[in-house]
Amino acid sequence: MEKEIFIERYRKLGWKFSEPNVKKAIRVNTLKISKKVLQKRLASKGIKTSNIDFVKDGLFIEESKFSIGSSVEYLLGYCYIQEAASQAAAELLNPKENDVVLDCCAAPGGKATHLSQLMKNKGMVIALDKKSQRLIALKNNIERMGCKNIVVYNIDALDVASLGIKFDKILLDAPCSGNFTLESNWFEKRDLEGIRGNAGNQKKLLKACLDVLKPKGVLVYSTCSLEPEENEENMKWAVKSLNMKLISQKRFWPSEKNKGFFTAKLVRK
Amino acid sequence: MRPLEHFLIQFNVRKLDLGNNILFVEDNKFFLITREMQNTIKKTKKPFYAGNYLGKARGKKFFPSVSLLNMTKSRTSHKIWIDSKTEWLFVCGRDLFASGIRKSSYNAQKNTIALVLNPNNEVIGFGKVTKSLKEKGVVVQNILDIGDFLRRERKKK
Protein backbone atom coordinates (compact mmCIF):
# COMPACT_ATOMS: atom_id res chain seq x y z
CA MET A 1 0.00 0.00 0.00
CA GLU A 2 1.25 3.44 -0.90
CA LYS A 3 2.44 5.84 1.75
CA GLU A 4 0.03 8.45 0.33
CA ILE A 5 -2.96 6.23 1.02
CA PHE A 6 -2.01 5.95 4.68
CA ILE A 7 -1.38 9.70 4.88
CA GLU A 8 -4.82 10.31 3.39
CA ARG A 9 -6.38 7.98 6.00
CA TYR A 10 -4.72 9.98 8.78
CA ARG A 11 -5.92 13.24 7.23
CA LYS A 12 -9.50 11.96 7.24
CA LEU A 13 -9.06 11.07 10.92
CA GLY A 14 -8.02 14.65 11.57
CA TRP A 15 -4.23 14.58 11.60
CA LYS A 16 -1.86 16.26 9.15
CA PHE A 17 1.06 13.94 8.46
CA SER A 18 4.51 14.96 9.68
CA GLU A 19 7.66 13.15 10.73
CA PRO A 20 8.43 14.63 14.14
CA ASN A 21 11.71 14.49 15.98
CA VAL A 22 10.38 12.75 19.09
CA LYS A 23 11.93 13.58 22.46
CA LYS A 24 13.37 10.73 24.47
CA ALA A 25 11.50 10.03 27.67
CA ILE A 26 11.94 8.13 30.91
CA ARG A 27 9.63 7.07 33.70
CA VAL A 28 10.91 7.73 37.21
CA ASN A 29 10.71 4.62 39.38
CA THR A 30 9.02 6.04 42.47
CA LEU A 31 9.47 2.67 44.21
CA LYS A 32 13.12 3.70 44.57
CA ILE A 33 13.49 7.47 44.15
CA SER A 34 11.44 10.65 43.86
CA LYS A 35 11.23 12.57 40.60
CA LYS A 36 12.81 15.63 42.16
CA VAL A 37 15.84 13.76 43.53
CA LEU A 38 16.42 11.89 40.27
CA GLN A 39 16.19 15.11 38.26
CA LYS A 40 18.79 16.68 40.52
CA ARG A 41 21.13 13.69 40.21
CA LEU A 42 20.81 13.56 36.45
CA ALA A 43 21.37 17.32 36.21
CA SER A 44 24.63 16.94 38.14
CA LYS A 45 25.77 14.61 35.34
CA GLY A 46 24.76 16.99 32.58
CA ILE A 47 21.41 15.35 31.78
CA LYS A 48 18.71 18.01 31.58
CA THR A 49 15.13 16.85 31.96
CA SER A 50 11.66 18.38 31.98
CA ASN A 51 8.28 17.16 33.18
CA ILE A 52 5.93 15.40 30.79
CA ASP A 53 2.65 17.26 31.14
CA PHE A 54 0.28 14.32 30.55
CA VAL A 55 1.80 11.60 32.76
CA LYS A 56 2.67 11.74 36.45
CA ASP A 57 6.10 10.16 36.68
CA GLY A 58 7.50 10.90 33.23
CA LEU A 59 10.44 13.08 32.25
CA PHE A 60 11.62 14.21 28.83
CA ILE A 61 15.37 14.12 28.23
CA GLU A 62 16.06 17.62 26.95
CA GLU A 63 19.82 17.41 26.80
CA SER A 64 22.32 14.62 27.41
CA LYS A 65 25.87 13.96 26.31
CA PHE A 66 25.44 10.22 26.74
CA SER A 67 22.69 7.64 26.73
CA ILE A 68 20.80 7.48 29.99
CA GLY A 69 20.88 3.69 29.59
CA SER A 70 24.60 3.92 30.35
CA SER A 71 24.16 5.69 33.66
CA VAL A 72 24.45 4.32 37.18
CA GLU A 73 20.98 5.75 37.88
CA TYR A 74 19.50 3.58 35.14
CA LEU A 75 21.34 0.48 36.38
CA LEU A 76 20.15 1.17 39.93
CA GLY A 77 16.60 0.99 38.58
CA TYR A 78 15.77 4.62 39.21
CA CYS A 79 14.17 4.99 35.80
CA TYR A 80 12.82 3.10 32.81
CA ILE A 81 13.38 4.36 29.28
CA GLN A 82 9.79 4.56 28.10
CA GLU A 83 8.09 6.52 25.37
CA ALA A 84 5.92 9.28 26.85
CA ALA A 85 2.49 8.19 25.56
CA SER A 86 3.02 4.55 26.46
CA GLN A 87 3.32 5.70 30.10
CA ALA A 88 -0.34 6.71 29.87
CA ALA A 89 -1.67 3.14 29.65
CA ALA A 90 -0.85 1.94 33.19
CA GLU A 91 -1.91 5.31 34.64
CA LEU A 92 -5.26 5.02 32.88
CA LEU A 93 -5.81 1.58 34.40
CA ASN A 94 -5.14 3.14 37.82
CA PRO A 95 -4.45 -0.10 39.75
CA LYS A 96 -4.86 -0.08 43.53
CA GLU A 97 -2.62 -1.67 46.14
CA ASN A 98 -4.84 -4.70 46.80
CA ASP A 99 -5.76 -5.41 43.16
CA VAL A 100 -4.95 -8.52 41.17
CA VAL A 101 -3.92 -7.15 37.78
CA LEU A 102 -3.13 -8.84 34.49
CA ASP A 103 -0.56 -7.58 31.99
CA CYS A 104 -1.24 -9.69 28.92
CA CYS A 105 1.72 -9.20 26.61
CA ALA A 106 4.22 -8.05 29.18
CA ALA A 107 7.77 -8.30 27.78
CA PRO A 108 10.03 -6.36 28.02
CA GLY A 109 8.25 -5.06 31.11
CA GLY A 110 7.71 -1.32 30.72
CA LYS A 111 4.05 -1.50 31.64
CA ALA A 112 4.31 -4.40 34.12
CA THR A 113 6.93 -2.54 36.16
CA HIS A 114 4.82 0.63 35.89
CA LEU A 115 1.78 -1.24 37.28
CA SER A 116 3.93 -2.57 40.13
CA GLN A 117 5.10 0.96 40.85
CA LEU A 118 1.56 2.37 40.91
CA MET A 119 0.53 -0.45 43.27
CA LYS A 120 3.49 0.37 45.55
CA ASN A 121 4.74 -3.22 45.27
CA LYS A 122 1.52 -4.52 46.87
CA GLY A 123 -1.27 -6.72 45.49
CA MET A 124 -0.26 -8.85 42.55
CA VAL A 125 0.56 -8.34 38.88
CA ILE A 126 0.35 -11.42 36.68
CA ALA A 127 2.55 -10.81 33.64
CA LEU A 128 2.32 -13.06 30.59
CA ASP A 129 4.37 -13.44 27.47
CA LYS A 130 4.28 -16.28 25.01
CA LYS A 131 7.81 -15.77 23.68
CA SER A 132 10.27 -17.39 26.07
CA GLN A 133 13.28 -15.48 24.70
CA ARG A 134 11.54 -12.20 25.62
CA LEU A 135 11.13 -13.28 29.23
CA ILE A 136 14.82 -12.65 29.96
CA ALA A 137 14.42 -8.94 29.30
CA LEU A 138 11.21 -8.95 31.34
CA LYS A 139 12.95 -10.63 34.29
CA ASN A 140 15.91 -8.22 34.07
CA ASN A 141 13.67 -5.19 34.14
CA ILE A 142 11.54 -6.49 37.01
CA GLU A 143 14.71 -7.16 39.00
CA ARG A 144 16.41 -3.87 38.10
CA MET A 145 13.30 -1.84 38.96
CA GLY A 146 12.93 -3.58 42.34
CA CYS A 147 9.40 -4.87 41.65
CA LYS A 148 8.35 -7.54 44.13
CA ASN A 149 4.68 -8.12 43.34
CA ILE A 150 4.94 -9.60 39.83
CA VAL A 151 4.45 -13.25 38.85
CA VAL A 152 5.51 -14.12 35.30
CA TYR A 153 4.16 -16.98 33.22
CA ASN A 154 5.40 -18.13 29.85
CA ILE A 155 1.97 -18.50 28.27
CA ASP A 156 0.00 -17.02 25.43
CA ALA A 157 -2.53 -14.46 26.65
CA LEU A 158 -5.13 -16.34 24.60
CA ASP A 159 -4.73 -19.17 27.14
CA VAL A 160 -4.98 -16.94 30.23
CA ALA A 161 -8.16 -18.72 31.38
CA SER A 162 -6.03 -21.84 32.01
CA LEU A 163 -4.52 -20.06 35.05
CA GLY A 164 -7.93 -20.03 36.75
CA ILE A 165 -7.46 -16.49 38.07
CA LYS A 166 -10.04 -13.71 37.93
CA PHE A 167 -8.68 -10.19 37.67
CA ASP A 168 -9.78 -6.83 39.04
CA LYS A 169 -8.01 -5.01 36.24
CA ILE A 170 -6.38 -5.92 32.94
CA LEU A 171 -3.89 -4.11 30.76
CA LEU A 172 -3.94 -5.36 27.19
CA ASP A 173 -1.15 -3.67 25.30
CA ALA A 174 -1.91 -5.63 22.19
CA PRO A 175 0.64 -6.71 19.56
CA CYS A 176 -0.08 -4.41 16.63
CA SER A 177 1.13 -3.08 13.29
CA GLY A 178 3.11 -0.32 15.01
CA ASN A 179 3.58 2.94 13.17
CA PHE A 180 6.03 4.75 10.92
CA THR A 181 7.87 6.49 13.80
CA LEU A 182 8.88 3.14 15.28
CA GLU A 183 10.24 1.38 12.23
CA SER A 184 12.10 2.44 9.09
CA ASN A 185 10.29 1.64 5.83
CA TRP A 186 7.09 1.08 7.82
CA PHE A 187 4.95 2.26 4.89
CA GLU A 188 6.61 -0.21 2.51
CA LYS A 189 6.16 -3.12 4.91
CA ARG A 190 2.49 -2.66 5.80
CA ASP A 191 -0.76 -3.21 3.94
CA LEU A 192 -4.43 -3.20 4.87
CA GLU A 193 -4.66 -6.98 4.81
CA GLY A 194 -1.98 -7.26 7.49
CA ILE A 195 -3.64 -4.56 9.54
CA ARG A 196 -6.97 -6.37 9.38
CA GLY A 197 -5.20 -9.60 10.38
CA ASN A 198 -3.74 -7.89 13.45
CA ALA A 199 -7.14 -6.42 14.28
CA GLY A 200 -8.59 -9.95 14.21
CA ASN A 201 -5.92 -11.22 16.62
CA GLN A 202 -6.58 -8.25 18.91
CA LYS A 203 -10.28 -9.14 19.02
CA LYS A 204 -9.35 -12.68 20.12
CA LEU A 205 -7.19 -11.22 22.88
CA LEU A 206 -9.99 -8.89 24.00
CA LYS A 207 -12.34 -11.87 24.22
CA ALA A 208 -9.78 -13.93 26.20
CA CYS A 209 -9.34 -11.01 28.61
CA LEU A 210 -13.06 -10.53 29.10
CA ASP A 211 -13.36 -14.18 30.16
CA VAL A 212 -11.01 -13.61 33.13
CA LEU A 213 -12.12 -10.10 34.11
CA LYS A 214 -14.31 -9.81 37.20
CA PRO A 215 -17.74 -8.18 36.79
CA LYS A 216 -17.29 -4.39 36.90
CA GLY A 217 -13.60 -5.02 36.28
CA VAL A 218 -11.63 -2.50 34.21
CA LEU A 219 -9.69 -3.24 31.04
CA VAL A 220 -7.30 -0.81 29.40
CA TYR A 221 -6.56 -1.56 25.77
CA SER A 222 -3.60 0.07 24.06
CA THR A 223 -1.64 -0.15 20.83
CA CYS A 224 1.05 1.87 19.11
CA SER A 225 -0.88 1.56 15.84
CA LEU A 226 -2.43 4.57 14.11
CA GLU A 227 -4.89 2.44 12.15
CA PRO A 228 -8.58 2.65 13.12
CA GLU A 229 -9.12 -1.10 12.55
CA GLU A 230 -6.77 -1.82 15.48
CA ASN A 231 -8.15 0.96 17.66
CA GLU A 232 -11.60 2.60 17.50
CA GLU A 233 -13.12 -0.17 15.39
CA ASN A 234 -11.95 -2.82 17.86
CA MET A 235 -13.49 -0.80 20.66
CA LYS A 236 -16.80 -0.61 18.81
CA TRP A 237 -16.62 -4.38 18.40
CA ALA A 238 -15.89 -4.88 22.14
CA VAL A 239 -18.93 -2.76 23.06
CA LYS A 240 -21.20 -4.57 20.61
CA SER A 241 -19.93 -8.16 20.75
CA LEU A 242 -18.50 -8.43 24.26
CA ASN A 243 -21.09 -6.22 25.91
CA MET A 244 -18.42 -4.00 27.46
CA LYS A 245 -18.86 -0.36 28.34
CA LEU A 246 -16.45 2.09 26.72
CA ILE A 247 -15.44 4.73 29.26
CA SER A 248 -12.91 6.65 27.19
CA GLN A 249 -10.59 6.38 24.22
CA LYS A 250 -7.72 8.60 23.16
CA ARG A 251 -5.35 8.89 20.23
CA PHE A 252 -1.85 10.25 20.62
CA TRP A 253 -0.79 11.27 17.11
CA PRO A 254 2.98 11.38 16.51
CA SER A 255 4.43 14.66 17.72
CA GLU A 256 7.57 16.04 19.32
CA LYS A 257 6.23 14.58 22.58
CA ASN A 258 5.36 11.02 21.54
CA LYS A 259 5.57 8.45 18.78
CA GLY A 260 1.89 7.67 18.34
CA PHE A 261 -0.29 5.61 20.65
CA PHE A 262 -3.88 4.68 21.40
CA THR A 263 -5.56 3.98 24.73
CA ALA A 264 -9.08 2.98 25.66
CA LYS A 265 -10.73 2.18 28.96
CA LEU A 266 -13.52 -0.40 29.10
CA VAL A 267 -15.57 -1.85 31.92
CA ARG A 268 -17.14 -5.28 32.07
CA LYS A 269 -20.88 -4.89 32.66
CA MET B 1 17.92 -23.10 51.37
CA ARG B 2 21.50 -24.28 52.06
CA PRO B 3 23.33 -22.55 49.17
CA LEU B 4 21.60 -19.29 50.12
CA GLU B 5 22.57 -19.70 53.79
CA HIS B 6 26.18 -20.49 52.82
CA PHE B 7 26.29 -17.37 50.72
CA LEU B 8 24.93 -15.15 53.50
CA ILE B 9 27.31 -16.57 56.11
CA GLN B 10 30.20 -15.16 54.07
CA PHE B 11 28.76 -11.74 54.96
CA ASN B 12 28.37 -12.80 58.58
CA VAL B 13 24.60 -12.85 58.10
CA ARG B 14 23.05 -15.85 59.85
CA LYS B 15 19.45 -15.33 58.90
CA LEU B 16 17.53 -13.38 56.33
CA ASP B 17 14.59 -11.29 57.48
CA LEU B 18 11.71 -12.73 55.45
CA GLY B 19 9.05 -10.55 57.07
CA ASN B 20 5.66 -12.00 56.16
CA ASN B 21 7.09 -13.54 53.00
CA ILE B 22 7.72 -17.15 52.10
CA LEU B 23 10.78 -18.63 50.45
CA PHE B 24 9.88 -20.26 47.14
CA VAL B 25 12.43 -22.34 45.22
CA GLU B 26 11.79 -23.34 41.61
CA ASP B 27 14.45 -24.85 39.32
CA ASN B 28 17.16 -23.80 41.81
CA LYS B 29 15.96 -20.21 41.63
CA PHE B 30 15.12 -18.60 44.96
CA PHE B 31 12.26 -16.14 45.36
CA LEU B 32 10.51 -14.40 48.24
CA ILE B 33 6.79 -14.45 47.68
CA THR B 34 3.69 -13.32 49.56
CA ARG B 35 1.05 -15.73 50.84
CA GLU B 36 -1.31 -14.51 48.15
CA MET B 37 1.28 -15.38 45.50
CA GLN B 38 1.82 -18.78 47.09
CA ASN B 39 -1.91 -19.52 46.94
CA THR B 40 -2.00 -18.47 43.30
CA ILE B 41 1.08 -20.47 42.33
CA LYS B 42 -0.32 -23.61 43.98
CA LYS B 43 -3.28 -23.50 41.61
CA THR B 44 -1.40 -22.73 38.39
CA LYS B 45 1.40 -24.07 36.23
CA LYS B 46 5.00 -23.24 37.19
CA PRO B 47 5.73 -19.53 36.98
CA PHE B 48 8.83 -18.30 35.22
CA TYR B 49 9.41 -15.68 37.89
CA ALA B 50 7.69 -14.66 41.12
CA GLY B 51 7.97 -11.91 43.70
CA ASN B 52 11.40 -10.87 44.89
CA TYR B 53 14.20 -12.78 43.12
CA LEU B 54 17.06 -13.66 45.49
CA GLY B 55 19.36 -15.59 43.19
CA LYS B 56 20.07 -19.04 41.84
CA ALA B 57 22.06 -22.05 43.00
CA ARG B 58 24.30 -24.05 40.74
CA GLY B 59 25.69 -26.99 42.68
CA LYS B 60 27.01 -25.59 45.96
CA LYS B 61 27.53 -22.16 44.48
CA PHE B 62 24.99 -19.39 44.91
CA PHE B 63 24.62 -16.50 42.46
CA PRO B 64 22.84 -13.66 44.26
CA SER B 65 20.57 -11.06 42.79
CA VAL B 66 21.14 -7.35 43.31
CA SER B 67 17.99 -7.36 45.43
CA LEU B 68 19.53 -9.90 47.83
CA LEU B 69 22.68 -7.77 48.09
CA ASN B 70 20.48 -4.81 49.03
CA MET B 71 18.69 -6.90 51.66
CA THR B 72 22.09 -7.83 53.09
CA LYS B 73 23.24 -4.22 53.30
CA SER B 74 21.71 -3.41 56.68
CA ARG B 75 22.75 -6.72 58.23
CA THR B 76 26.43 -6.92 57.35
CA SER B 77 29.53 -4.97 58.22
CA HIS B 78 31.31 -6.28 55.13
CA LYS B 79 31.16 -3.08 53.11
CA ILE B 80 33.64 -1.21 50.99
CA TRP B 81 32.96 2.30 49.68
CA ILE B 82 34.57 3.49 46.48
CA ASP B 83 34.97 6.93 44.90
CA SER B 84 32.84 8.25 42.06
CA LYS B 85 35.59 7.82 39.45
CA THR B 86 35.98 4.15 40.33
CA GLU B 87 32.21 3.62 40.48
CA TRP B 88 31.77 3.52 36.71
CA LEU B 89 34.84 1.27 36.22
CA PHE B 90 33.43 -1.21 38.74
CA VAL B 91 30.01 -1.11 37.07
CA CYS B 92 31.78 -1.95 33.81
CA GLY B 93 33.05 -5.14 35.43
CA ARG B 94 36.51 -3.97 36.53
CA ASP B 95 38.26 -5.01 39.72
CA LEU B 96 39.19 -2.52 42.45
CA PHE B 97 42.57 -0.98 43.22
CA ALA B 98 43.53 0.63 46.54
CA SER B 99 43.42 4.12 44.98
CA GLY B 100 39.66 3.90 44.31
CA ILE B 101 38.69 2.77 47.80
CA ARG B 102 37.45 5.45 50.21
CA LYS B 103 36.81 3.34 53.26
CA SER B 104 35.85 -0.06 54.58
CA SER B 105 33.56 -0.84 57.49
CA TYR B 106 35.36 -4.02 58.54
CA ASN B 107 38.82 -5.51 58.78
CA ALA B 108 38.91 -6.70 55.19
CA GLN B 109 40.95 -9.88 55.24
CA LYS B 110 42.09 -11.79 52.14
CA ASN B 111 39.37 -14.11 50.70
CA THR B 112 36.49 -12.39 52.51
CA ILE B 113 33.65 -10.97 50.45
CA ALA B 114 32.16 -7.51 50.76
CA LEU B 115 29.42 -5.34 49.32
CA VAL B 116 30.71 -2.51 47.15
CA LEU B 117 28.97 0.84 47.64
CA ASN B 118 29.22 4.11 45.75
CA PRO B 119 29.60 7.56 47.38
CA ASN B 120 25.77 7.78 47.64
CA ASN B 121 25.82 4.69 49.88
CA GLU B 122 24.11 2.57 47.18
CA VAL B 123 25.03 -1.07 46.66
CA ILE B 124 26.50 -1.45 43.18
CA GLY B 125 27.79 -5.02 43.54
CA PHE B 126 30.08 -7.21 45.57
CA GLY B 127 33.56 -8.60 45.36
CA LYS B 128 36.22 -10.77 46.93
CA VAL B 129 39.12 -9.21 48.80
CA THR B 130 42.35 -10.53 47.26
CA LYS B 131 44.85 -8.79 49.55
CA SER B 132 45.15 -5.93 52.04
CA LEU B 133 43.15 -2.95 50.78
CA LYS B 134 46.29 -0.79 50.95
CA GLU B 135 48.51 -2.96 48.76
CA LYS B 136 49.38 -2.37 45.10
CA GLY B 137 47.46 -4.10 42.33
CA VAL B 138 43.94 -5.51 42.40
CA VAL B 139 42.68 -5.58 45.99
CA VAL B 140 39.03 -6.53 45.36
CA GLN B 141 37.97 -8.83 42.60
CA ASN B 142 34.61 -7.91 41.05
CA ILE B 143 32.15 -10.79 41.36
CA LEU B 144 28.89 -9.05 40.50
CA ASP B 145 27.98 -5.48 39.66
CA ILE B 146 24.81 -3.74 38.46
CA GLY B 147 26.27 -3.37 34.97
CA ASP B 148 25.35 -7.02 34.64
CA PHE B 149 21.80 -5.91 33.77
CA LEU B 150 23.17 -4.47 30.51
CA ARG B 151 25.64 -7.26 29.82
CA ARG B 152 22.92 -9.93 30.14
CA GLU B 153 20.88 -8.15 27.47
CA ARG B 154 23.88 -7.91 25.16
CA LYS B 155 24.73 -11.59 25.64
CA LYS B 156 21.17 -12.47 24.77
CA LYS B 157 21.43 -10.59 21.44
Side-chain angles (χ1 to χ4, degrees), chain B residues 10-24:
Chain B
Q10 295 178 82
F11 283 100
N12 255 339
V13 176
R14 305 255 156 232
K15 213 176 170 192
L16 205 60
D17 181 14
L18 303 184
N20 293 324
N21 295 308
I22 300 145
L23 192 71
F24 169 67

Side-chain angles (χ1 to χ4, degrees), chain A residues 5-21:
Chain A
I5 297 172
F6 276 107
I7 291 173
E8 181 57 17
R9 297 184 106 201
Y10 305 151
R11 192 190 62 75
K12 282 182 182 164
L13 288 164
W15 181 63
K16 191 170 179 267
F17 178 78
S18 67
E19 292 183 76
N21 196 6

Side-chain angles (χ1 to χ4, degrees), chain B residues 97-118:
Chain B
F97 292 82
S99 57
I101 294 174
R102 289 173 72 185
K103 62 174 181 177
S104 158
S105 61
Y106 78 117
N107 180 20
Q109 299 285 320
K110 187 180 174 181
N111 290 332
T112 58
I113 62 169
L115 296 177
V116 176
L117 294 95
N118 67 9

Side-chain angles (χ1 to χ4, degrees), chain B residues 1-63:
Chain B
M1 188 75 178
R2 196 153 286 168
L4 173 60
E5 280 171 350
H6 280 169
F7 174 77
L8 292 171
I9 281 168
Q10 295 178 82
F11 283 100
N12 255 339
V13 176
R14 305 255 156 232
K15 213 176 170 192
L16 205 60
D17 181 14
L18 303 184
N20 293 324
N21 295 308
I22 300 145
L23 192 71
F24 169 67
V25 184
E26 183 68 53
D27 294 335
N28 293 320
K29 289 179 189 148
F30 291 61
F31 300 92
L32 272 188
I33 58 170
T34 61
R35 204 156 291 282
E36 189 187 14
M37 281 179 187
Q38 188 189 40
N39 292 338
T40 301
I41 289 167
K42 271 181 191 167
K43 289 187 282 185
T44 63
K45 64 174 264 181
K46 280 184 193 175
F48 173 80
Y49 185 100
N52 184 6
Y53 177 61
L54 301 181
K56 66 182 170 194
R58 204 175 287 156
K60 286 181 182 170
K61 229 174 164 189
F62 190 78
F63 298 85

Side-chain angles (χ1 to χ4, degrees), chain A residues 41 69-70 72 75-76 78 100 124 133 135-137 139-140 142-144 147-155 163 165, chain B residues 36-37 40-41 44-53 65-66 87-88 91 120 122-123 146-147 149-150 152-153 156:
Chain A
R41 272 183 75 148
S70 306
V72 170
L75 295 171
L76 285 166
Y78 291 168
V100 178
M124 189 163 53
Q133 70 272 24
L135 294 179
I136 306 298
K139 172 191 174 288
N140 277 350
I142 292 171
E143 198 187 330
R144 183 176 63 82
C147 299
K148 295 169 184 169
N149 62 341
I150 304 177
V151 182
V152 180
Y153 291 95
N154 183 197
I155 66 165
L163 292 175
I165 306 169
Chain B
E36 189 187 14
M37 281 179 187
T40 301
I41 289 167
T44 63
K45 64 174 264 181
K46 280 184 193 175
F48 173 80
Y49 185 100
N52 184 6
Y53 177 61
S65 69
V66 173
E87 177 186 26
W88 186 248
V91 162
N120 290 318
E122 294 156 331
V123 176
I146 55 172
F149 287 122
L150 284 183
R152 285 182 217 166
E153 295 273 327
K156 192 190 72 184

Side-chain angles (χ1 to χ4, degrees), chain A residues 24-74:
Chain A
K24 287 204 167 74
I26 56 168
R27 170 172 50 85
V28 180
N29 183 10
T30 53
L31 287 175
K32 291 192 169 191
I33 197 166
S34 72
K35 194 196 252 189
K36 204 172 165 186
V37 173
L38 181 63
Q39 272 190 293
K40 207 170 161 188
R41 272 183 75 148
L42 294 177
S44 74
K45 294 185 170 180
I47 302 176
K48 286 186 187 164
T49 57
S50 66
N51 285 324
I52 301 175
D53 53 6
F54 55 91
V55 286
K56 200 170 78 167
D57 300 319
L59 289 172
F60 285 123
I61 306 294
E62 299 288 352
E63 202 181 305
S64 177
K65 286 182 183 129
F66 58 93
S67 163
I68 196 159
S70 306
S71 68
V72 170
E73 285 72 18
Y74 173 83

